[in-house]
Amino acid sequence: MLLCSASVSLHFDLLMCVLLCTQEELLVGAPRVLVTGATGLLGRAVCREFHSAGWTVIGTGYRRARPRLLRCDLTDEDAVRGLLHEYKPDVIVHCAAERRPDVMERHTEAAVNLNVHATSTLAKEAATCGALFLYISTDYVFDGRNPPYGEDDSPNPLNVYGRSKLEGERETLRHCPGAVVLRVPVLFGEVESVTESVVTSLYLKVQEASEESCTLDHVLQRFPTDARDVAAVCRKLSERARQDPSIRGIFHFSGKEQMTKYEMAVAIAQAFNLPSSHLIPLTEQPAASALRPINSQLNCSRLELLNLSVEPRPFTSAIIDCLWPFTPDKRWRQTVFH
């Protein structure tokens, strides 16, 4: 039976073999991790990270589920219960979520079903089957008025997305007291298309140099973070928590470079030797259906003190890693085969 996620980033498929977990592998005692949202940006990175560390990886998806993923509707309690009963994971990394704040303002009920109710079900079942539950949350649980924020600072989300993730945290810790909650900021990484991440989508704005000027937010402070680094932290947390029950509760991880969307776009332009004069900083907070915190910087010292953090990749080198397959001259194809 096929249990593992394939690498679904289009260019990454050329760089590694499809991950296949066989019954034989299950018998050798490798720890098992179930990754929800394995078709997504973070879920793919988590699957690759755990697989490379020798874990048996069980990836789940739903609407975008592929042949080598298990298709599961996480809002179906019976389906979730059956999934965990059959595959008996040692660790569950819950990456699946509706992460688009503006979408959540318009489709609140469906998004809350995934971000809150599905999380509650998974936490209950994880506690029942004895699996470590690792819930991915967000810096948007804070209002951005008094950064940096530690794990014990009082949340005050400004939008439906932040409130739903905060409620997911509370459901996680209520039903599964030994769980781990990992808050992270805006993510980017190896994408299937440049529009998959808010960060990589800025590449399209950079490429509009021959068109009219393009205004970009220069107010909201963000800390873009590579999904590969988050995946590594998830693995380190999982490995330590399985041995040490004191590793529980809330942790923060974030990139260290503070940047607005405008600054990210300029950095992307410089990384690829493209013009940026058409990019215009917008110094008034942009209109959007969902309010966003001005600066929700996370204090990550708890992870660092426990030696469970990783050094975040510099933004410039990381963004080149993510976007080089989409450069117009396609020179990357030569680097794959030669």
Side-chain angles (χ1 to χ4, degrees):
M1 180 177 291
L2 303 183
L3 300 182
C4 268
S5 166
S7 169
V8 293
S9 178
L10 296 182
H11 54 281
F12 200 81
D13 277 341
L14 299 172
L15 301 177
M16 68 178 290
C17 294
V18 171
L19 311 181
L20 299 178
C21 294
T22 66
Q23 293 293 341
E24 185 176 313
E25 286 177 295
L26 289 171
L27 295 175
V28 299
R32 281 167 284 182
V33 59
L34 186 147
V35 181
T36 70
T39 59
L41 175 68
L42 178 58
R44 298 195 303 268
V46 169
C47 286
R48 291 195 291 267
E49 174 69 26
F50 276 82
H51 178 78
S52 66
W55 288 62
T56 295
V57 180
I58 307 157
T60 76
Y62 185 49
R63 290 187 178 87
R64 293 193 295 167
R66 291 165 170 83
R68 291 177 179 85
L69 293 176
L70 299 175
R71 189 174 189 273
C72 181
D73 179 359
L74 297 178
T75 65
D76 182 335
E77 293 186 19
D78 290 336
V80 171
R81 192 175 298 114
L83 179 71
L84 299 191
H85 178 77
E86 182 173 359
Y87 293 103
K88 298 179 175 59
D90 299 293
V91 174
I92 301 166
V93 182
H94 184 28
C95 300
E98 174 53 72
R99 293 186 174 84
R100 297 166 296 177
D102 292 335
V103 170
M104 287 207 64
E105 298 292 325
R106 300 191 301 271
H107 305 285
T108 302
E109 183 177 356
V112 167
N113 279 338
L114 179 58
N115 288 6
V116 181
H117 302 317
T119 300
S120 179
T121 299
L122 280 163
K124 291 176 188 174
E125 296 305 320
T128 299
C129 71
L132 171 70
F133 187 56
L134 197 164
Y135 172 67
I136 304 297
S137 190
T138 175
D139 59 336
Y140 273 30
V141 299
F142 298 111
D143 58 21
R145 297 188 179 100
N146 190 30
Y149 292 95
E151 290 86 354
D152 296 327
D153 287 333
S154 297
N156 183 34
L158 299 179
N159 55 40
V160 174
Y161 169 64
R163 289 193 290 273
S164 74
K165 295 299 287 183
L166 178 60
E167 190 59 29
E169 291 184 9
R170 291 169 174 166
E171 288 294 290
T172 291
L173 297 174
R174 180 164 73 94
H175 294 298
C176 193
V180 172
V181 171
L182 181 63
R183 292 173 178 154
V184 296
V186 62
L187 301 182
F188 66 99
E190 293 176 327
V191 291
E192 293 182 305
S193 70
V194 292
T195 58
E196 189 177 9
S197 160
V198 169
V199 178
T200 53
S201 67
L202 294 170
Y203 185 53
L204 299 177
K205 303 294 185 183
V206 170
Q207 291 179 308
E208 293 174 1
S210 60
E211 308 295 332
E212 57 188 41
S213 62
C214 173
T215 58
L216 288 168
D217 169 48
H218 194 42
V219 176
L220 302 180
Q221 303 297 318
R222 295 169 168 86
F223 293 80
T225 301
D226 195 317
R228 294 172 294 180
D229 294 334
V230 177
V233 169
C234 288
R235 178 185 55 77
K236 294 181 73 170
L237 276 167
S238 298
E239 290 172 346
R240 181 79 70 83
R242 293 187 69 218
Q243 305 298 325
D244 182 356
S246 71
I247 305 300
R248 57 194 289 181
I250 300 172
F251 295 84
H252 290 171
F253 178 74
S254 172
K256 295 180 179 179
E257 296 168 86
Q258 179 173 317
M259 310 173 82
T260 62
K261 275 190 175 182
Y262 168 74
E263 290 169 327
M264 284 187 270
V266 170
I268 291 170
Q270 292 172 345
F272 289 96
N273 297 313
L274 295 171
S276 61
S277 58
H278 65 294
L279 303 173
I280 309 298
L282 181 64
T283 55
E284 296 179 358
Q285 190 160 350
S289 57
L291 289 175
R292 288 163 168 79
I294 289 180
N295 186 345
S296 51
Q297 180 182 8
L298 299 173
N299 180 326
C300 306
S301 57
R302 186 182 182 199
L303 270 181
E304 293 164 0
L305 289 171
L306 291 167
N307 197 30
L308 289 170
S309 190
V310 300
E311 183 63 27
R313 289 170 169 83
F315 180 78
T316 298
S317 60
I319 204 67
I320 290 174
D321 284 350
C322 301
L323 289 175
W324 57 259
F326 302 98
T327 53
D329 58 8
K330 300 292 188 299
R331 278 197 301 267
W332 66 277
R333 293 185 184 276
Q334 298 174 23
T335 68
V336 171
F337 296 110
H338 297 286

